[in-house]
């Protein structure tokens, strides 16, 4: 049976941070997730969640807060038979209640909005939320149900909806609230499972881990040299850096594809048939004659990254800028190695790593040493034993976890504890946490205890923990992250961390979800397939279509006409986003005044270029168009042709978008004119540009940004840090612009550059800039704090 849960859009991020909805009273009682919940008239009780057998139409009064009606459809077969209690049957509508949390699944759950504007508004806010981990996964299940079917058209069929009034739900007020701690345990259990699995999949070889560790050490050493008064290394710095570089190059040469290829080619060419000399002798001869470089040049070896280039920044006229360049090249080289290794490794199967029995986790990962200590530790954290220790001893959380973990370890080895290296290690950790006494993380050869200690030191945030482990040289993250998930729970995890799993490969996530759902709730979901999007909504999350959908009620007040606009916008977005598309080119080209009367246009139409399905590179695309038109017909029209090619090549360009849109909408219509006004207005504020403000452009007047000519702006790209991966392209463009602008004032002081950049973006986030930008209401805590931490970390100031 399909059941419908009425709620509102202000709960959207809350619901999709935990993939669940609870009775209103739960939110203030639970120790995880968002504690704020907005009730609606059709679901107004604190003690239960109301569900209806038909779709309810109800009223939401606080629209000044951009709050709108939202209805969630679930399938009762995905839940236990006693999950929902029937309390009423009124005019063919059955009313059910649940006095416990209802967890959703992405296979059978649907979410209904009442307009495209409301849907887009919720998704825009979801993009800005680090806690909303599921909105992308459920995007194919987000529907718009605009109008109630007209009575005459449904005269001979049963209605699947009803107009809600209080008589449907009055009987639910006397149902007792079923509050237990089960939700908290489930959240922490899920957190432990998810974190352990992600940790297992992100773990790398010891060699790659050592490369990453060495890169941090080299960067920090080089930074100290560059920021010193004379910008010259001391003897100790020089020796240290050279030692790091030598080790780095030795490891890198064994992992890099180009380096391995070069070694193979050299081995093949080190032969001398006339003399019969062996390879070692030939190498010695080349070395004695100083012909090694000449030999390598002759056989055209592939370029290989050499960390010795870090020194080149010290000889540069602008050492700070050169430092940024060489450090970027260093980290890019490592990213390629890590990406290659992870691409070759197979995703871990959840059931090969973990089992769950009666709510207790059991790690069965063959990579971990056998024993019950780690399992006891995880289960004690899931059951909040450290929280009880905190309350009883008025202790800080991480210190409490260290005490509880030490206690579990002592229980595991009662006869061998006193005087053991384990006791010494735990006591050293406790002294470090309490008194700041120095502590050697690797003074014991035990992966579980090393990871446990790392968590106790830096376990406040998941990014801080993984960064610390990277700096320390850990190659395996699963243990520490498992502890993190068991302590912090799933709801607290940011989507920048969970996206590799939730938004990754669909088949892998489907298999994962089936297993964990059965573990957590004892239910085996049937017909597990992701829904296919029935409406073609591709491209609506791009900046221009998104802006149109946000304003669709202004563009067309009548909701009955929204679908036709939606269809035109999605068709336009699909073509505008295509690469070297003949159809997009022709739609743009025929919008030029009087162009359809020219031979250039006629020849393209005669050749049916619009329906050409071939794939072209930019050069081939232009060459193909020129060849069809011919040199004679091209004369006098080359400027128009080149302009159309340039517009087709751009992405999210207002002019190109409108020239395509007029093939699907009447240019004289009020809706088209309003769309043109909206997107061109945003273009004037710097939105939608495929090229940034800082790209050189021919035949264009010199532009300016904040009173500075474009040519004077720094050309350094904004770093690719985790927190920006989920941001709207408009926001990313604005961050890039502000980053380049603020870089002018602090070319030689990266820390001050970051400070200036963060303050400027916060100002725009608060709406205190002269013109409202895309950062308004976006660049605020916690996003601003996360970006600041990641920038400081990226440039070695942590």
């Amino acid at each position: 049976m399909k059941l419908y849960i009425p709620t509102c859009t202000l709960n959207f991020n809350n619901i999709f941070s935990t993939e669940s909805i609870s009775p209103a009273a739960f939110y203030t009682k639970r120790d995880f997730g968002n504690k704020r919940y907005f009730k609606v008239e059709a679901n107004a009780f604190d003690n239960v969640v109301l569900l209806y057998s038909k779709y309810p139409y109800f009223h939401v009064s606080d629209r000044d807060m951009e709050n709108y009606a939202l209805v969630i459809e679930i399938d009762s077969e995905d839940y236990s038979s006693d999950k929902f209690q029937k309390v009423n049957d009124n005019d063919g509508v059955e009313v059910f209640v649940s006095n416990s949390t209802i967890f959703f699944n992405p296979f059978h759950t649907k979410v209904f909005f009442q307009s495209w504007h409301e849907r887009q508004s919720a998704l825009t806010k979801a993009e800005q939320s680090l806690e909303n981990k599921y909105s992308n996964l459920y995007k194919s299940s987000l529907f718009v149900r605009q109008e109630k079917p007209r009575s005459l058209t449904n005269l001979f069929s049963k209605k699947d909806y009803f107009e809600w009034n209080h008589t449907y739900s009055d009987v639910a007020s006397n149902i007792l609230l079923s509050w237990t701690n089960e939700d908290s345990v489930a959240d922490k259990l899920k957190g432990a499972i998810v974190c352990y699995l992600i940790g297992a999949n992100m773990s790398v070889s010891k060699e790659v881990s050592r490369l990453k560790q060495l890169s941090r050490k080299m960067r920090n050493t080089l930074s100290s040299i560059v920021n010193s008064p004379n910008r010259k290394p001391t003897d100790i710095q020089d020796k240290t850096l050279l030692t790091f570089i030598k080790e780095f190059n030795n490891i890198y040469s064994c992992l890099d594809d180009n380096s391995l290829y070069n070694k193979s080619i050299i081995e093949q060419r080190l032969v001398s048939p006339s003399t019969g000399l062996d390879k070692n002798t030939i190498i010695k001869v080349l070395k004695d004659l100083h012909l090694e470089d000449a030999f390598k040049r002759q056989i055209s070896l592939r370029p290989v990254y050499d960390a010795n280039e870090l020194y080149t920044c010290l000889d540069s006229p602008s050492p700070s800028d050169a430092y940024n360049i060489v450090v970027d090249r260093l980290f890019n080289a490592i990213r390629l190695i890590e990406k290659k290794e992870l691409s070759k490794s197979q995703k871990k199967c959840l059931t090969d790593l973990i089992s769950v029995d009666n709510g207790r986790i059991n790690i069965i990962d063959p990579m971990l040493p056998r024993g019950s200590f780690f399992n006891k530790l995880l289960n004690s954290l899931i059951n909040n034993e450290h929280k009880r220790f905190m309350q009883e001893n008025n202790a800080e959380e991480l210190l409490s976890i260290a005490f509880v973990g030490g206690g579990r370890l002592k229980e595991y080895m009662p006869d061998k504890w006193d005087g053991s290296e384990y006791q010494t290690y735990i006591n050293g950790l406790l002294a470090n946490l309490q008194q700041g006494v120095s502590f050697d993380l690797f003074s014991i050869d035990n992966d579980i205890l090393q990871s446990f200690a790392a968590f106790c030191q830096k376990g406040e945030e998941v990014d801080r923990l993984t960064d610390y482990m990277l700096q320390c040289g850990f190659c395996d993250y699963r243990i520490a992250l498992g502890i993190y998930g068991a302590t912090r729970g799933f709801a607290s995890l940011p989507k920048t961390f969970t996206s590799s799993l939730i938004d990754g490969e669909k088949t892998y996530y489907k298999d994962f979800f089936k297993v964990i759902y059965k573990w957590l709730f004892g239910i085996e979901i049937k017909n597990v397939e992701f829904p296919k999007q029935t409406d073609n909504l591709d491209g609506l999350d791009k900046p221009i279509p998104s802006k149109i959908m946000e304003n669709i009620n202004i563009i067309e007040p009548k909701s009955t006409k929204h679908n036709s606009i939606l269809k035109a916008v999605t068709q336009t977005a699909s073509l505008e986003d295509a690469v070297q598309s003949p159809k997009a080119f022709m739609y743009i080209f025929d919008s030029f005044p009087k162009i359809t009367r020219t031979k250039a246009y006629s020849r393209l139409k005669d050749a049916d270029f619009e329906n050409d399905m071939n794939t072209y590179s930019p050069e081939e695309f232009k060459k193909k168009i020129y060849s069809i038109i011919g040199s004679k017909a091209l004369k006098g029209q080359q400027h128009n042709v080149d302009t159309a090619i340039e517009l087709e090549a751009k992405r999210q360009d207002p002019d190109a978008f409108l020239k395509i849109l007029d093939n699907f909408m009447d240019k004289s219509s009020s809706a088209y004119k309003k769309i043109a006004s909206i997107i061109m207005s945003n273009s004037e504020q710097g939105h939608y540009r495929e090229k940034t403000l800082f790209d050189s452009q021919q035949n264009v007047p010199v532009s300016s940004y904040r009173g500075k000519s474009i040519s004077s702006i720094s050309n350094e790209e904004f770093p690719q840090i985790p927190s920006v991966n989920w941001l709207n392209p408009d926001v990313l463009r604005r961050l890039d612009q502000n980053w380049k602008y603020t870089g002018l004032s602090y070319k030689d002081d990266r820390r001050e550059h970051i400070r200036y950049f963060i303050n400027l973006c916060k100002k725009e986030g608060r709406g205190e800039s002269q013109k409202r930008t895309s950062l308004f209401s976006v660049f605020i805590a916690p996003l601003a704090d996360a970006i600041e931490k990641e920038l400081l970390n990226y440039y070695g100031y942590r």
Side-chain angles (χ1 to χ4, degrees), residues 609 666 696:
F609 184 59
D666 181 0
S696 59

Side-chain angles (χ1 to χ4, degrees), residues 8-13 36-40 59-69 117-118 121-122 125 777:
C8 60
T9 55
L10 285 181
N11 294 324
F12 185 76
N13 284 343
R36 193 174 185 187
Y37 181 79
F38 297 87
K39 294 185 288 187
V40 295
H59 180 66
V60 173
S61 58
D62 48 355
R63 293 203 168 204
D64 289 342
M65 298 175 63
E66 285 194 74
N67 189 24
Y68 308 100
H117 163 75
E118 293 166 18
S121 176
K125 292 175 181 177
S777 295

